[in-house]
Amino acid sequence: MRLEIGEILIRDIQFGDRTKVSGGTLYINKSELVAKLIDDEHIKSISVELAKPGESTRITPVKDVIEPRVKVDGPGNIFPGVLGKVTTAGSGRTHVLKGCAVVSCGKIVGFQEGIIDMSGPGADYTPFSKLFNIVLVIEPAAGLDQYGYEKAARMAGLKAAVWLGEAGRNVQPDNIISYETKSVLEQAAEYPDLPKIGYVYMLQTQGLLHDTYVYGVDAKKIVPSLLYPTEVMDGAILSGNCVSACDKNTTYHHQNNPVITSLYEAHGKEINFMGVIITNENVFLADKERSSNWTAKLAKFLGLDGVIISQEGFGNPDTDLIMNCKKIEKEGVKTVILTDEYAGRDGASQSLADSDPLADAVVTAGNANELIVLPKMDRVIGMLDYTDKIAGGFSGSLRPDGSIEAEIQVITGATNELGFNRLSATMY
Amino acid sequence: MSKIRVVHYLNQFFAGIGGEEKADHKPELRIGIVGPGMALKKEFGEEAEIVSTIICGDSYFNENLKEASAQILKMIREQKPDIFMAGPAFNAGRYGAACGTICKMVKEELGIPVLSAMYEENPGVDMFRKDLFIIKTADSAAGMRTAAPAMAKLALKLAKKEEIGPPEAEGYHVRGIRKNVFRDKLGSKRAVEMLVKKLKGDEFVTEYPMPQFDNVTPSPAVKDMSRAKLALVTSGGIVPKGNPDRIESSSASKYGKYDISGLAALTSETSETAHGGYDPVYANKDPNRVLPVDALRDMEKSGRIGSLHNYYYSTVGNGTSVANSRAYALEFAHELKNDGVTAVILTST
């Protein structure tokens, strides 16, 4: 399966009469966008605001971040099975509005929405401070429960991204990158001397607002399965969850999964990248056992020499991470695990809820408990009402002068476990 | 600018008083520099000055811990130091323990920076590495030449409140504290590089060495539940409505103790969850789902259990550090025991 990604570099965003990309600027007809999204009985109102890198702007509570993409050639569409037919995606050509994103935000769903600061110290911790953000502030209809609200907000974000992505359909991309993964036997034969590497992609599925969707299927209900890496780039996997902001994979993270791109970079040089094994993080022991048995089985079945395993969330999923690692290693397949840490505010506690000596190769995305002070911003998109309550905040987090003291856990994407960032932790 | 005031601590041997036979030497304050302090003075130059040296015999200190500590603390306080240094203790075990004990006490009581130096096998390293900076030294006094510059350099940095670098750069024993850093490469790239090295059999450095977990042996089963006094403890965050103690939704810094005497069951009017790691709707609708007061009251009535304790303990287990959890349990386990509780049901979420 071969996919061309055409990157259209977006260097500014503005409201305009017509939604289009011109000279690197994305113009957005605000009322048309709102009209497109408001056609949902679960949503009372939506306001659209723009946030640019370097501004004194704080966006909160952030639910999801989505990159506008459009399928210009090949079968399927973006977010197959959710916003269109379930046609298998991942081949042909996809255009990406690179440098911008849709951010959904609004009254809190659970405890676990985050903060994006467009400048200041907080901006260093979130990749989304570097993007031109089209922020949807969503007000749910009266009486809507939080499951309905989560879904309405999720769908609004996806629809906005797809609608904006259309603006890139007929634009000549600045860069074209192609990715290809062949059928298992062909792929193995292509680089017979290089180690065969897979990617075990753990999806957050603890349930009750901790859900991830694969081609529209709630991933709680899958058994581990195989995907071509390029399917992920077309939105085969998307976020519907509200785990802590720092280490949940937003839809943007899935669309731009850095493990996949880093493996492709080394593909044909140092490794032979064979494909993606998706698995879940269910809360029942039998599910954990079954899923980790299956990842190990599939890794062996594919004849892999090594895998990278990425986690999403923390605590309970630490057990899934360690089970995957242990069982795959026992099949003779080498592992590196990607995780983050909860070592306490002083960094002195143990970082994971589970461990095993076989997990001897760990890449960490940092200690989510570390404290940070975020200075007051001139403008707030969304609302500060929930600052003390969101995971990583505490009583008094929002100070009278408008600054915030909280754990970096509150920052969207700060300790992302796909290895999206440079942040890490080390032993002092 | 005035010089940084340093108070230095030595045992009887390094102060030149004598060996084991003088180990009962009582705490003594001498103005100015003694013994190894000379090497430090050279390194300090004009920036800092050892204003006084405190000497105590190793046996005296370890055998009269309380008294000796109080005496030494008083001496140090009167000297108004900006920083306190002890040792190097090299491989002398009792000396290392004394250096660590005094440094920790000074840090806590006087709030000034402290510093010691020891050989890696000195038991004082493991006892105090989390509490203070301990410079790495050789196993004998021959290592003073390398220890002194490292000690002086770190002491000046600490006194001037400068940022302290990682252990390998500053020369101190790893403290076991996780600190965030920005690395040069993305995590995903580091993972691919690490995997390639691991497959080739090349050396690689894990970014998080796996901790050794302490396993708790379960207590023997309760023989007669009909006589047991049962208590409920939860990490599921059930609290009285309004969360009076403001237990955090994640990374809880406290726990609560709440009265349920006379309650037949929890209700959505009286209780809720503070937990931010799961969807709270079902717990809030019926808090007994997390803290089963209703079921236990039934069992109490039917005589299947002796009684339900009047209080329950609750915290939020979401991202809460193991060290904090252990500290909470240490406190309330004693209370439970003193209250005659014979069995506890721990509920999690």
Side-chain angles (χ1 to χ4, degrees):
Chain A
M1 184 175 279
R2 181 186 157 86
L3 179 69
E4 279 182 352
I5 293 283
E7 293 183 343
I8 299 160
L9 303 181
I10 300 299
R11 298 182 191 89
D12 194 17
I13 46 175
Q14 287 179 25
F15 290 122
D17 295 338
R18 208 161 70 81
T19 299
K20 62 173 182 188
V21 175
S22 172
T25 298
L26 171 63
Y27 296 91
I28 303 150
N29 180 316
K30 191 171 165 175
S31 52
E32 275 180 28
L33 175 59
V34 172
K36 181 82 192 162
L37 305 178
I38 202 74
D39 184 25
D40 181 335
E41 63 193 47
H42 301 112
I43 293 176
K44 184 177 158 203
S45 69
I46 286 188
S47 67
V48 182
E49 302 200 42
L50 306 181
K52 303 182 185 184
E55 285 178 354
S56 177
T57 296
R58 172 163 295 146
I59 314 171
T60 187
V62 171
K63 287 180 182 31
D64 198 10
V65 184
I66 312 105
E67 186 170 60
R69 295 188 169 207
V70 62
K71 198 86 204 141
V72 294
D73 183 35
N77 41 268
I78 304 297
F79 306 125
V82 176
L83 284 186
K85 292 184 178 172
V86 291
T87 318
T88 300
S91 61
R93 179 149 154 185
T94 297
H95 282 182
V96 179
L97 303 189
K98 200 86 230 161
C100 72
V102 172
V103 175
S104 54
C105 126
K107 187 175 156 285
I108 198 163
V109 175
F111 289 102
Q112 298 176 318
E113 276 90 74
I115 295 174
I116 296 173
D117 278 359
M118 298 306 289
S119 64
D124 294 340
Y125 288 84
T126 175
F128 306 119
S129 62
K130 288 101 192 160
L131 302 180
F132 291 92
N133 292 316
I134 302 106
V135 187
L136 313 176
V137 185
I138 301 162
E139 172 83 22
L144 183 64
D145 68 21
Q146 65 228 71
Y147 311 106
Y149 178 32
E150 187 283 321
K151 186 174 181 193
R154 170 172 21 112
M155 294 307 288
L158 299 175
K159 280 187 209 162
V162 166
W163 189 76
L164 290 167
E166 280 295 335
R169 182 176 288 281
N170 297 312
V171 179
Q172 181 59 38
D174 297 273
N175 309 311
I176 295 174
I177 312 158
S178 52
Y179 300 99
E180 185 174 22
T181 299
K182 296 176 176 164
S183 72
V184 174
L185 293 181
E186 283 176 291
Q187 192 55 64
E190 190 177 21
Y191 303 113
D193 299 328
L194 294 177
K196 292 186 281 298
I197 304 300
Y199 169 33
V200 176
Y201 193 170
M202 293 172 58
L203 308 175
Q204 174 55 256
T205 59
Q206 287 180 269
L208 299 173
L209 299 172
H210 294 33
D211 299 306
T212 302
Y213 297 88
V214 180
Y215 281 95
V217 177
D218 179 345
K220 271 199 296 294
K221 297 169 186 164
I222 64 164
V223 287
S225 181
L226 294 175
L227 253 60
Y228 282 103
T230 51
E231 290 177 76
V232 179
M233 298 177 182
D234 276 346
I237 299 174
L238 59 89
S239 165
N241 78 51
C242 302
V243 286
S244 287
C246 64
D247 59 10
K248 79 168 183 184
N249 295 331
T250 66
T251 299
Y252 187 98
H253 287 111
H254 289 299
Q255 293 170 300
N256 290 280
N257 188 316
V259 176
I260 291 175
T261 44
S262 292
L263 285 168
Y264 267 131
E265 272 170 35
H267 181 56
K269 296 173 202 144
E270 292 170 295
I271 62 160
N272 188 356
F273 182 22
M274 299 294 295
V276 178
I277 299 169
I278 54 165
T279 185
N280 50 19
E281 301 175 349
N282 289 10
V283 292
F284 288 100
L285 183 59
D287 290 341
K288 289 178 186 296
E289 292 284 8
R290 183 188 312 107
S291 289
S292 53
N293 290 345
W294 276 55
T295 58
K297 179 185 71 179
L298 290 172
K300 181 80 179 163
F301 200 168
L302 288 172
L304 300 179
D305 299 303
V307 296
I308 289 174
I309 309 171
S310 69
Q311 185 187 2
E312 182 176 4
F314 62 94
N316 187 300
D318 291 349
T319 58
D320 300 276
L321 176 70
I322 296 299
M323 282 168 131
N324 282 321
C325 171
K326 213 160 56 178
K327 292 179 184 179
I328 293 170
E329 284 275 346
K330 282 184 178 162
E331 289 290 354
V333 180
K334 298 266 188 285
T335 64
V336 168
I337 63 174
L338 265 164
T339 184
D340 65 348
E341 304 183 40
Y342 286 75
R345 288 179 193 160
D346 61 1
S349 190
Q350 69 195 25
S351 300
L352 295 174
D354 198 4
S355 82
D356 192 273
L358 287 171
D360 63 356
V362 182
V363 168
T364 170
N367 176 17
N369 292 136
E370 203 165 280
L371 289 174
I372 190 169
V373 174
L374 304 172
K376 180 183 187 292
M377 293 278 148
D378 293 343
R379 174 177 170 223
V380 173
I381 302 179
M383 58 216 76
L384 293 171
D385 310 31
Y386 306 98
T387 309
D388 288 7
K389 279 192 187 165
I390 54 177
F394 43 84
S395 178
S397 268
L398 180 62
R399 295 154 154 187
D401 66 358
S403 65
I404 292 170
E405 183 182 23
E407 297 182 1
I408 61 168
Q409 195 182 162
V410 301
I411 300 175
T412 302
T415 60
N416 177 272
E417 294 160 285
L418 301 175
F420 211 89
N421 310 323
R422 293 188 299 111
L423 185 68
S424 180
T426 188
M427 195 70 96
Y428 265 59
Chain B
M1 205 186 87
S2 58
K3 282 187 183 177
I4 293 162
R5 291 172 65 86
V6 181
V7 170
H8 191 203
Y9 176 86
L10 296 172
N11 72 353
Q12 84 287 348
F13 178 77
F14 283 93
I17 292 170
E20 198 53 38
E21 76 285 359
K22 297 285 183 189
D24 58 351
H25 191 83
K26 289 187 181 171
E28 176 198 351
L29 177 96
R30 289 195 199 165
I31 299 302
I33 297 169
V34 176
M38 283 309 292
L40 293 173
K41 177 190 157 70
K42 235 191 274 169
E43 300 295 333
F44 282 143
E46 291 302 303
E47 285 203 82
E49 181 185 11
I50 297 179
V51 292
S52 56
T53 306
I54 290 162
I55 302 153
C56 182
D58 287 335
S59 300
Y60 183 82
F61 183 81
N62 285 297
E63 286 161 20
N64 302 277
L65 203 55
K66 226 173 147 184
E67 210 185 319
S69 297
Q71 279 175 290
I72 290 170
L73 186 66
K74 184 164 174 277
M75 288 175 181
I76 299 169
R77 181 177 276 140
E78 284 167 357
Q79 294 299 309
K80 298 193 172 61
D82 299 307
I83 183 163
F84 176 73
M85 296 170 78
F90 302 107
N91 201 22
R94 284 181 310 162
Y95 186 20
C99 287
T101 308
I102 299 166
C103 280
K104 187 176 178 212
M105 169 177 77
V106 169
K107 185 180 161 190
E108 283 165 5
E109 298 289 327
L110 306 185
I112 59 166
V114 298
L115 174 67
S116 189
M118 301 175 204
Y119 177 59
E120 61 188 16
E121 287 177 21
N122 190 316
V125 173
D126 273 346
M127 288 164 73
F128 295 103
R129 64 164 81 230
K130 282 210 167 178
D131 302 303
L132 50 128
F133 290 101
I134 305 172
I135 291 284
K136 283 183 174 180
T137 71
D139 61 352
S140 75
M144 192 61 201
R145 212 178 313 153
T146 48
M151 283 179 84
K153 191 174 153 223
L154 185 57
L156 290 176
K157 275 193 168 180
L158 284 167
K160 291 192 273 189
K161 299 189 166 54
E162 289 175 9
E163 193 169 332
I164 307 301
E168 56 275 19
E170 305 283 1
Y172 57 85
H173 288 286
V174 168
R175 302 186 62 192
I177 288 173
R178 302 294 293 170
K179 228 178 126 131
N180 285 344
V181 290
F182 284 97
R183 297 188 194 268
D184 295 335
K185 292 176 181 165
L186 294 183
S188 59
K189 230 171 152 91
R190 306 199 306 271
V192 173
E193 288 176 3
M194 197 183 287
L195 184 58
V196 168
K197 282 185 184 169
K198 188 171 170 176
L199 282 161
K200 281 189 189 159
D202 292 350
E203 206 177 306
F204 62 90
V205 182
T206 181
E207 294 177 0
Y208 180 64
M210 282 285 133
Q212 295 290 324
F213 277 32
D214 52 337
N215 281 311
V216 179
T217 317
S219 300
V222 176
K223 283 206 181 91
D224 183 1
M225 283 302 290
S226 71
R227 299 168 78 161
K229 182 173 176 182
L230 207 75
L232 284 168
V233 173
T234 188
S235 60
I238 298 298
V239 291
K241 192 94 177 177
N243 191 6
D245 294 318
R246 296 191 173 187
I247 296 176
E248 294 86 345
S249 65
S250 175
S251 310
S253 68
K254 57 197 125 175
Y255 65 91
K257 175 184 180 180
Y258 304 111
D259 191 352
I260 43 169
S261 54
L263 282 185
L266 303 178
T267 68
S268 58
E269 280 81 49
T270 59
S271 299
E272 65 182 8
T273 182
H275 201 293
Y278 65 89
D279 174 8
V281 170
Y282 299 103
N284 285 341
K285 265 189 192 159
D286 183 355
N288 299 286
R289 285 173 170 146
V290 178
L291 196 82
V293 174
D294 55 352
L296 288 169
R297 287 291 182 216
D298 288 347
M299 291 184 170
E300 194 180 29
K301 229 182 265 167
S302 68
R304 282 185 63 192
I305 62 167
S307 64
L308 178 62
H309 185 44
N310 283 341
Y311 296 92
Y312 75 91
Y313 293 83
S314 177
T315 190
V316 161
N318 182 31
T320 298
S321 72
V322 176
N324 275 355
S325 308
R326 188 184 289 127
Y328 305 156
L330 270 175
E331 272 182 35
F332 63 67
H334 283 295
E335 287 187 26
L336 288 166
K337 226 170 163 179
N338 291 339
D339 288 342
V341 170
T342 54
V344 174
I345 293 179
L346 292 158
T347 65
S348 66
T349 48

